[in-house]
């Protein structure tokens, strides 16, 4: 397996940002994406926003899916304050379970599941958590529930985990093929997390700079 670069890696933070100023748009307006509301309460509706260019790529990806399969959008933009809360909560849980770990170990382990707030792709409107659904909107099996932690799933949340069913592997391959084709990159510890234009994307693709930095939804 190719070595996984975690969000906490200094190489990610070292990528410069050349903010292009592209607006955040509501994916529920003017697009046909299937949107799940499981994050509605947490983010007061901000979850359904993305940079305009990222949304365009998702729509293109959906057009590439096999007949009868749709993208199911779960979360896009995440306010920096919410990202901080998610990261701190998970880090606290890891710290309690592993009191012998150093702060660096806690930060690295936490970043498998939640990005450090200062470089978070979600807070740039550049990342999306999504899965697949059938034509009737029923979520397909991709091996774990969305947002399963590495501890809960015994590592099956990793995109290329071996210990999942053939059906789940097939569905992950479909998702990966469609999203990679339109320029998005996956965070390998989370099969559902994809991004475009952020620092992690720039590092993975060799772009000289990220197009999108952290932004507040106005």
């Amino acid at each position: 397996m190719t070595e996984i670069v975690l969000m906490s890696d200094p190489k990610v933070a070292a990528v410069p940002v050349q903010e292009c100023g592209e607006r955040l748009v509501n994916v529920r307006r003017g697009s046909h994406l299937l949107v799940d509301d499981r994050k509605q309460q947490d983010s007061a509706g901000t979850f359904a926003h993305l940079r305009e260019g990222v949304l365009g790529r998702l729509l293109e990806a959906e057009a590439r899916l096999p007949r009868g399969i749709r993208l199911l959008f779960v979360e896009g933009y995440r306010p920096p304050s919410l990202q901080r809360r998610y990261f701190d909560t998970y880090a606290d849980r890891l710290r309690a379970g592993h009191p012998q770990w150093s702060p660096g170990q806690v930060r690295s382990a936490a970043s498998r599941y939640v990005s450090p707030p200062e470089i978070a792709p979600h807070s740039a409107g550049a990342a999306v958590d999504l899965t697949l659904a059938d034509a009737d909107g029923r979520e397909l099996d991709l091996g774990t529930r969305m947002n399963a932690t590495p501890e809960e799933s015994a590592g099956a949340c990793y995109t290329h985990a071996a210990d999942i069913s053939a059906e789940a592997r097939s569905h992950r391959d479909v998702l990966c093929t469609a999203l990679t084709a339109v320029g998005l990159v996956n965070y390998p510890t989370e099969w559902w997390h994809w991004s475009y234009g952020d620092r992690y994307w720039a590092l993975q693709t060799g772009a000289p700079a990220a197009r999108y930095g952290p932004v507040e939804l106005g």
Side-chain angles (χ1 to χ4, degrees), residues 70-150:
R70 300 183 64 184
L71 295 178
L72 177 59
F73 176 103
V74 176
E75 185 176 19
Y77 175 70
R78 189 181 295 160
S81 59
L82 181 60
Q83 182 71 30
R84 168 64 66 183
R85 175 157 63 86
Y86 282 172
F87 184 82
D88 288 349
T89 298
Y90 185 52
D92 287 346
R93 190 189 319 166
L94 291 173
R95 195 176 293 110
H98 303 276
Q100 76 279 14
W101 283 5
S102 69
Q105 286 175 300
V106 171
R107 177 180 167 85
S108 178
S111 75
R112 297 171 304 161
Y113 182 60
V114 187
S115 173
E118 63 274 12
I119 53 92
H122 280 289
S123 295
V128 57
D129 293 342
L130 78 175
T131 185
L132 297 175
D134 65 17
D136 296 319
R138 292 185 295 254
E139 199 168 330
L140 299 182
D141 175 20
L142 274 81
T144 73
R145 71 174 184 88
M146 277 198 61
N147 294 318
T149 67

Side-chain angles (χ1 to χ4, degrees), residues 143-145 148-158 163 192:
T144 73
R145 71 174 184 88
T149 67
E151 295 77 25
E152 170 194 334
S153 67
C157 60
Y158 282 46
D163 193 20
W192 56 86

Side-chain angles (χ1 to χ4, degrees), residues 3-187:
E3 181 184 359
I4 292 174
V5 177
L6 295 175
M7 288 285 183
S8 59
D9 194 303
K11 293 194 293 285
V12 181
V15 174
V17 177
Q18 294 179 1
E19 173 60 54
C20 68
E22 191 176 284
R23 66 187 181 127
L24 287 166
V25 294
N26 191 330
V27 304
R28 292 176 294 191
R29 298 176 188 162
S31 88
H32 58 264
L33 275 185
L34 186 61
V35 178
D36 186 287
D37 280 337
R38 72 187 76 176
K39 290 289 184 178
Q40 172 70 40
Q41 185 173 1
D42 227 11
S43 62
T46 60
F47 78 98
H49 290 74
L50 279 177
R51 296 285 189 143
E52 192 169 27
V54 182
L55 174 58
R57 288 170 187 273
L58 288 187
L59 296 176
E60 185 181 342
E62 181 158 82
R64 294 171 176 268
L65 292 175
R67 188 177 183 86
I69 296 181
R70 300 183 64 184
L71 295 178
L72 177 59
F73 176 103
V74 176
E75 185 176 19
Y77 175 70
R78 189 181 295 160
S81 59
L82 181 60
Q83 182 71 30
R84 168 64 66 183
R85 175 157 63 86
Y86 282 172
F87 184 82
D88 288 349
T89 298
Y90 185 52
D92 287 346
R93 190 189 319 166
L94 291 173
R95 195 176 293 110
H98 303 276
Q100 76 279 14
W101 283 5
S102 69
Q105 286 175 300
V106 171
R107 177 180 167 85
S108 178
S111 75
R112 297 171 304 161
Y113 182 60
V114 187
S115 173
E118 63 274 12
I119 53 92
H122 280 289
S123 295
V128 57
D129 293 342
L130 78 175
T131 185
L132 297 175
D134 65 17
D136 296 319
R138 292 185 295 254
E139 199 168 330
L140 299 182
D141 175 20
L142 274 81
T144 73
R145 71 174 184 88
M146 277 198 61
N147 294 318
T149 67
E151 295 77 25
E152 170 194 334
S153 67
C157 60
Y158 282 46
T159 306
H160 298 293
D163 193 20
I164 60 174
S165 70
E167 180 183 42
R169 169 55 54 205
S170 176
H171 290 154
R172 288 192 191 186
D173 289 346
V174 167
L175 185 68
C176 289
T177 297
L179 293 172
T180 300
V182 299
L184 274 73
V185 300
N186 172 244
Y187 190 43

